[in-house]
Amino acid sequence: MSTSSRQRRYQIDGRVTITVFRSTGKFDFWGRISDVSEGGMGAVVSGKLEPGEFVLLQFSLASHALELRARVCHRRGYYCGFEFLVVSNLQREHIKLACEGISTENGQDERGRC
């Protein structure tokens, strides 16, 4: 089990732009974030991504623009799970602050526990 799947996930609705570089070129997709944690996110994506592919995620949380490299962990239909690969301390703090007061996937309010 990866680190991101063990972390508490928070339900967030937002737009994400996904860039993947393949041998056939660069492809940009957009998606809707469904949940986020300190270690990753889940999103419904407009294109086909394969588990193991490396991507660049661009999204905003609480008015903070973030750009993170990630790995596609799994895909179920159009839903993909992403594991963040490198997160700076500042980016991690922005994610934590955005999660304060947001309900977790089980519906409980988990203030300050992102």
Side-chain angles (χ1 to χ4, degrees):
M1 179 181 290
S2 71
T3 302
S4 60
S5 63
R6 288 189 301 249
Q7 294 174 340
R8 194 170 305 273
R9 298 178 191 168
Y10 294 83
Q11 296 175 336
I12 290 181
D13 179 34
R15 186 179 169 104
V16 60
T17 301
I18 302 110
T19 302
V20 61
F21 296 92
R22 297 179 174 145
S23 60
T24 54
K26 173 185 156 191
F27 297 89
D28 291 311
F29 303 109
W30 63 271
R32 295 300 303 181
I33 301 168
S34 61
D35 59 84
V36 68
S37 75
E38 212 174 305
M41 75 165 47
V44 176
V45 179
S46 65
K48 187 175 179 182
L49 296 172
E50 295 297 331
E53 285 189 300
F54 295 98
V55 299
L56 178 65
L57 302 173
Q58 296 172 301
F59 59 100
S60 292
L61 292 177
S63 301
H64 293 285
L66 296 169
E67 188 173 289
L68 297 170
R69 295 188 186 281
R71 180 180 65 86
V72 180
C73 294
H74 61 83
R75 188 189 85 217
R76 291 184 199 103
Y78 290 104
Y79 179 86
C80 291
F82 300 96
E83 178 183 15
F84 300 147
L85 298 177
V86 178
V87 183
S88 72
N89 289 336
L90 182 60
Q91 290 170 322
R92 189 176 315 282
E93 189 62 27
H94 288 320
I95 294 169
K96 284 181 182 180
L97 290 173
C99 291
E100 288 182 356
I102 296 174
S103 294
T104 59
E105 284 187 332
N106 64 11
Q108 297 176 359
D109 188 9
E110 297 286 341
R111 295 188 189 277
R113 295 188 60 196
C114 186

